[in-house]
Amino acid sequence: MRDVAKQRGARGEHSTSDLPKSARTRERILDAAAKVLARNGYAGTRLSDIAELAEVQAPALYYYFSSREELIEEVMTLGQHRTFEYVRSALDALPDDATPMDRICEAVGAHLEVGLQLSDFASATIRNGGQLPPDMRERQLVEQHSYGDLWRQLFEDARKAGEINPALDPSAVRMLVLGAMNWSPEWWDPGRGSLRSLITTAQTLVRQGLSAPPG
């Protein structure tokens, strides 16, 4: 696993002791909303559950957010940003001689790591993208553009380097890989296997499934 400082950054864990009380309360509400949304999904997320977890009265939520939808949308946006930053940071830490396929596999591991273990915000985003109302979903797709560009570049670099089987459609492969990873929060159970084992399995499948045949 990656270093503790990077893990804390992915979780959004930071010192709030120097923030005003209202800012600390807002952060606590967002943290609680991310946990509830990741666990219960969009339809099952209730303000009363968020308030209880954040240790505030339910009406107090409206002091910080005008509606349930505004709160959920901010959680989703933060989750997208934290996922992007975590994966990009993992890629930046690779040595200069890492191959394009190495970079894809590193991104696969980082995406699973942040979404399944390190960040409730990332997990909420991954699990609920398809459950959002159309208008919110449309705004989230705009936010996803930069992250999608990162993955498109990874696969394009591997294609240009001759590391992807030319019989494969890189665009379809990219969507299949991301789709499989984004479905993993629905079925992965840490009690039945470690995250490290899951990541190793995913990376092996990607590397062996995409690699061009010898010669």
Side-chain angles (χ1 to χ4, degrees):
M1 296 294 177
R2 284 162 247 285
D3 61 82
V4 173
K6 192 179 292 183
Q7 291 182 10
R8 287 176 176 168
R11 291 190 185 100
E13 293 176 358
H14 48 76
S15 175
T16 59
S17 59
D18 56 346
L19 294 176
K21 181 180 178 181
S22 62
R24 294 198 302 271
T25 302
R26 190 176 191 278
E27 288 289 316
R28 199 164 69 248
I29 291 169
L30 283 167
D31 287 343
K35 286 182 173 65
V36 174
L37 187 60
R39 182 182 66 221
N40 297 346
Y42 178 82
T45 294
R46 302 185 302 174
L47 290 179
S48 58
D49 294 334
I50 295 171
E52 181 180 359
L53 190 59
E55 299 180 341
V56 299
Q57 296 297 315
L61 297 178
Y62 291 101
Y63 175 80
Y64 300 94
F65 302 93
S66 63
S67 65
R68 170 182 176 272
E69 287 67 31
E70 181 185 351
L71 173 55
I72 288 175
E73 186 160 5
E74 180 151 355
V75 169
M76 295 289 290
T77 299
L78 285 170
Q80 288 184 345
H81 289 168
R82 291 175 186 183
T83 301
F84 182 26
E85 289 303 317
Y86 190 76
V87 173
R88 186 167 63 180
S89 179
L91 290 170
D92 289 345
L94 285 173
D96 293 339
D97 61 352
T99 68
M101 188 63 73
D102 291 338
R103 291 176 60 78
I104 290 175
C105 289
E106 182 70 11
V108 165
H111 183 95
L112 289 170
E113 198 169 60
V114 70
L116 293 176
Q117 185 175 78
L118 300 183
S119 172
D120 290 319
F121 287 87
S123 179
T125 299
I126 291 170
R127 295 193 68 176
N128 292 283
Q131 300 181 32
L132 303 177
D135 58 336
M136 191 187 300
R137 174 62 175 159
E138 186 173 342
R139 290 191 293 272
Q140 291 300 306
L141 287 173
V142 173
E143 292 287 336
Q144 288 176 14
H145 186 74
S146 295
Y147 192 53
D149 284 346
L150 180 150
W151 281 92
R152 275 186 285 274
Q153 191 62 55
L154 289 172
F155 278 85
E156 179 62 13
D157 290 345
R159 184 192 68 79
K160 288 180 178 178
E163 292 194 89
I164 290 182
N165 188 330
L168 301 178
D169 178 346
S171 178
V173 168
R174 171 174 52 83
M175 297 304 293
L176 286 166
V177 170
L178 283 169
M181 291 194 299
N182 288 343
W183 184 248
S184 60
E186 301 297 331
W187 58 263
W188 181 66
D189 179 359
R192 300 178 63 182
S194 70
L195 178 58
R196 174 48 55 195
S197 176
L198 173 66
I199 288 173
T200 299
T201 299
Q203 291 172 328
T204 301
L205 284 171
V206 167
R207 186 180 294 276
Q208 295 186 359
L210 270 61
S211 293

